[in-house]
Amino acid sequence: MNKRLATWLLIIAGLSITVFSFYVVSLPLLASFISDQLRKQGILLHSLAVTDVSFNSLLLRNLSIGRDNELQISKIYITWRLRDLLTGTVGSIEISGLQAALDLSSEQPLWGSLQSAMPSAGEDTGAIWLPAISLRDSIIHLRSAQGNFVITLQGNVVQADSGIQTVHLDAEIKDSFVQGKSSLAIARDTQGHLQGKITVSEGKLNLPQLEIFDFSGQAAFVFSAMRPPHIQAEFVLSDIHLPNSEQKEKVFEQARFNLQMDENNAHLTGTLMASSDSLIAHLDATVRHYDSAPDIELVLNASDAVNYYPWQLLGLAQPDSGMITLQMKVTGQTPPFQELYHNALHELNSLGWLQQLTLAGQARLELQNLSYAQKLSNLHGLLRLDAALTKGSGKLELHAETDRLVIGPIVARATSAVLPLQIRFEHDTLRMGLQKPGQVTIKKIDPMDAFNLKSSLDLSIQKMDMELVKNSRGAILNHHLVVWPRPITLLVKQKQAAAVEAQISPGKISLSGKLGSGEKYQGLGTIHHASLTLLPSQIRLNEITATLKFGTTENNRVADFTIGQLSHQIVTPYFAPFSLSGKITSKPVHGQPKVYTIDAVGGIPGTRYLRIIGEQALDGREGMLKIMIAPLTFATDGLQPKTLFPALAQLEDVSGMVSASVKFKWSKNGMRSSGILDLNNVSFIHQAAKISGLNATLDLVDLLSPRSPPRQSLTIRQVDAGIPMENLVVSYQIKDSPPRIVVEKANLFLLGGIVSLGPTLIDPTSVRNDILILVNNIELAALFDLIKVEGLAGNGRLDGSIPITFEGDHIIIQDSHLEADLPGTLQFQSEKAAQMLASTGKEMQLLLQVLQDFHYTELSLKLNKSATHDLKATLSLLGNNPNVKKGRMFRLNINLESNIGEILEAINQGYKLSNEILRDLFRLD
């Protein structure tokens, strides 16, 4: 019998007899004395009434003990024989209305304030011998982490004349999540041998994620000197459902467990059957020498359709179809189970008990044709684990392979991973690191809405330090990860053009963080020495560094970054290398994925002229990038365009203000781009031409294949290229792919009149372009001054057209015709011509005489030039000289020698220069 229980009974019975003589006047005194003795045992007594006592019985009522009334009994009736008391035993005990509270939640001792009065583990309690006990209307209140529930008990202990004791108890538990009945029958002979049976019936279990509509079982045992020479137990769980799953029918038909134990060894087997009566899983576990030095061998094999497995218990979605196969084997040694249980019980928030284990194991998990509707199809995967644990330290080799894997919007194919880990368990900490660098490889990633990974993705995991610390509030995970991804090639899709190829070198990536129970993840990631090259534009971003913050809400800031150098990798780059730095923030959008924004500024040393603003939705489908060049003021003695844009080195003495912006937007439909260039009162010198007062706004609706809306405007106050031109006004549009310039209209003031173009198409990529120049009301005198024919002068105005063809390096004019619309005069007085024609005869002398004061009624100028011949200029006249031949009418055709050819060559050089600029701008070569 428990020594403390015997002590209590002897105290109560002995003192009752001692004070029986004082019965009439001293029952309250007896109750007080019993209370005092219980207090000496560390037990707080709230209430006790001694209502009857005699030489062979005692009746106690309303017993309530413990700081929180952990034990309450309505009535205890004890009987004895005097000679039995002298041996420390009583005859019988009848207990009614017992209520006891036990705490299984690990937050308080099991017996509460009565724990100190209970026998400790390993304490020698002596031989168990119970008096005849009758238990009626008893209730045990259990408190657990899963909730509180109640067990009702009744039964008795019978002492036979032969000396054999029998115990029979019936228990029933009823609660919202568990129900069941059980019975215990034990027989003990005079040598202390026990044998008995435990039976469970009508059991039901209703947990949030699991329902078992029927469980039952029984266990037969034999004990000798408190050691089990034989235990045989079998339990069956049937009709198993997952209440929150989409499947309304039961998931498992039956789970059956069988245990065989003798004095040294134990053997446990278990089977799991599907609703189709097919075998899903089989467990076989053997423990040898469990009482002294347990030697464990565990084998688990499972294989069947994936819909038979309780994925939601693991927090995973139920697949629609597929097969799963699991093979696992664990062998090793542990301390004696009693010691291991004692340590684990006293270290519930610690991992220290794992330091006592020596285990080795292998596992293989294979997935076949795993599918999720509209998310994943035909996933084939293989996971292998090889682990060894010796006294808290061990190694874990993880090999994973899969044919197809979906991670958010990414579909990865032929993925493999190798992680050679080392682990260590301490008192309350699990530490994990790498034995050597790990490797993750993704051979191919399916094209996404706007991106396509052209090359494989290889990650070298250089460092992976993880620490799991358990405490009273749960657990804290600390980690530090260093990864070196190999360079990759990415294709960025465009809606109406070929994809843009990007070469990315991610550099060194590190991630450190902390995750606590019930807390948000807090982490810090860094990127060093990354680079990005955009092909074929040859734009390179080098020495990219970034710091990323996870889990912080400070100003919604998630990252800071710097680009050491952004450059254009061609012989004559668009822009000079510059640096860039900025930040990335996040902002929630109601009912939509979170959006990340980028804000950065950059420029060359001493000049910060560039700003970049971008947005990217969390789902990766939609984003925007805007690049702005702040208004730049150029001056002849200050900043020049070639400092920022080497391609503009031919421009000299530049003054005025220039600004620009470009915008890229991408979505599942591809990429779109636009841009604006604004020139305000810009002047410059280019070779022999001087441009003054240039104003233009160019609005491009597509940059990658340049296009613009109609009616783009350009004005120039003055152009001096050997021919003085003023007030040039051009309206145009850029269209088609490759781009062509549609001149809607253009005009300028020249030679006192207007020179204009009608609708004209200019194709920078074509070897031939045709232009029709319209001439309106130009002054004849100014024209003669321009073409520089010696001695030729006149008055009047000309109209007409000049059709010009640019073909290769040549300029061609066919049937150009300029005509005076009103009569006028023309004078040609040339000493050089007179000397050359002096000996040619009277007719030529008469011609020179007529031209000295020629009054014309008709005048036209025709220009013709082939690709292989020089310009031919023919002046046709009809009129007279009033002082010659009495004003006789003459029709004259004169071929002029002038510098018109030189003027046309200047025009041709300007055309070629314009085409070169356009081809460079649009990258058309």
Side-chain angles (χ1 to χ4, degrees), residues 602-653:
I604 62 175
T607 304
R608 308 294 280 180
Y609 60 91
L610 185 69
R611 185 178 183 187
I612 298 177
I613 298 175
E615 291 185 354
Q616 176 64 60
L618 184 61
D619 60 3
R621 295 193 172 191
E622 294 186 357
M624 177 275 293
L625 182 67
K626 187 174 183 179
I627 303 174
M628 296 170 286
I629 297 178
L632 293 170
T633 301
F634 298 105
T636 55
D637 57 351
L639 181 66
Q640 290 291 290
K642 62 184 179 182
T643 304
L644 307 178
F645 308 101
L648 301 178
Q650 294 179 349
L651 303 182
E652 300 177 352
D653 294 338

Side-chain angles (χ1 to χ4, degrees), residues 716-719 725-729 747-749:
I716 300 176
R717 185 176 65 252
Q718 187 176 41
V719 178
M725 295 175 282
E726 297 179 346
N727 299 329
L728 172 64
V729 178
N747 58 70
L748 58 85
F749 288 99

Side-chain angles (χ1 to χ4, degrees), residues 723-913:
I723 306 174
M725 295 175 282
E726 297 179 346
N727 299 329
L728 172 64
V729 178
V730 180
S731 176
Y732 65 96
Q733 179 185 8
I734 303 173
K735 61 186 295 185
D736 301 331
S737 180
R740 297 187 293 174
I741 311 299
V742 177
V743 180
E744 298 163 335
K745 63 178 181 179
N747 58 70
L748 58 85
F749 288 99
L750 177 66
L751 304 177
I754 297 175
V755 176
S756 62
L757 293 178
T760 303
L761 180 65
I762 300 175
D763 186 351
T765 64
S766 175
V767 296
R768 178 186 175 100
N769 280 291
D770 297 315
I771 298 175
L772 179 63
I773 299 176
L774 302 177
V775 177
N776 183 26
N777 205 32
I778 65 172
E779 294 180 357
L780 185 62
L783 175 63
F784 288 161
D785 288 340
L786 177 64
I787 63 178
K788 291 183 172 60
V789 178
E790 181 185 357
L792 181 63
N795 60 28
R797 292 183 175 274
L798 298 178
D799 297 323
S801 63
I802 304 175
I804 298 178
T805 297
F806 297 97
E807 188 174 276
D809 293 331
H810 304 287
I811 184 170
I812 300 171
I813 300 177
Q814 290 182 338
D815 300 327
S816 169
H817 183 78
L818 302 178
E819 184 176 2
D821 56 349
L822 294 174
T825 61
L826 184 146
Q827 297 86 32
F828 181 69
Q829 298 179 356
S830 173
E831 292 295 332
K832 179 180 179 181
Q835 293 174 2
M836 292 177 61
L837 299 176
S839 59
T840 58
K842 295 182 178 180
E843 292 183 357
M844 294 304 299
Q845 293 178 358
L846 178 63
L847 175 62
L848 289 176
Q849 187 179 2
V850 170
L851 289 176
Q852 289 179 358
D853 185 21
F854 190 79
H855 293 245
Y856 64 84
T857 58
E858 295 180 10
L859 182 150
S860 65
L861 178 63
K862 295 182 180 180
L863 303 175
N864 285 279
K865 183 184 182 305
S866 68
T868 56
H869 294 83
D870 295 334
L871 174 74
K872 180 180 179 181
T874 301
L875 183 65
S876 297
L877 301 169
L878 176 63
N880 66 351
N881 186 333
N883 301 316
V884 177
K885 297 287 185 179
K886 298 181 180 180
R888 174 184 169 185
M889 299 294 290
F890 289 91
R891 183 174 293 279
L892 304 175
N893 291 298
I894 304 172
N895 292 325
L896 302 177
E897 290 186 2
S898 69
N899 69 341
I900 295 180
E902 297 177 3
I903 296 173
L904 291 178
E905 182 59 27
I907 294 174
N908 192 29
Q909 292 297 323
Y911 166 79
K912 289 192 291 184
L913 174 63

Side-chain angles (χ1 to χ4, degrees), residues 561-621:
F561 67 92
T562 298
I563 301 174
Q565 186 184 75
L566 197 155
S567 59
H568 195 196
Q569 303 287 302
I570 61 174
V571 176
T572 305
Y574 278 175
F575 52 84
F578 63 90
S579 62
L580 191 70
S581 61
K583 64 181 180 180
I584 299 176
T585 57
S586 66
K587 62 179 180 180
V589 180
H590 181 68
Q592 298 180 12
K594 183 180 289 187
V595 174
Y596 288 90
T597 62
I598 180 175
D599 192 344
V601 294
I604 62 175
T607 304
R608 308 294 280 180
Y609 60 91
L610 185 69
R611 185 178 183 187
I612 298 177
I613 298 175
E615 291 185 354
Q616 176 64 60
L618 184 61
D619 60 3
R621 295 193 172 191

Side-chain angles (χ1 to χ4, degrees), residues 300-339:
L300 174 64
N301 291 295
S303 179
D304 213 314
V306 293
N307 57 304
Y308 289 131
Y309 288 90
W311 297 84
Q312 67 183 58
L313 295 180
L314 303 175
L316 302 174
Q318 175 78 38
D320 297 299
S321 61
M323 296 289 293
I324 182 171
T325 300
L326 173 64
Q327 298 173 336
M328 183 172 65
K329 183 177 182 179
V330 178
T331 60
Q333 294 78 40
T334 74
F337 286 164
Q338 184 177 4
E339 178 184 341

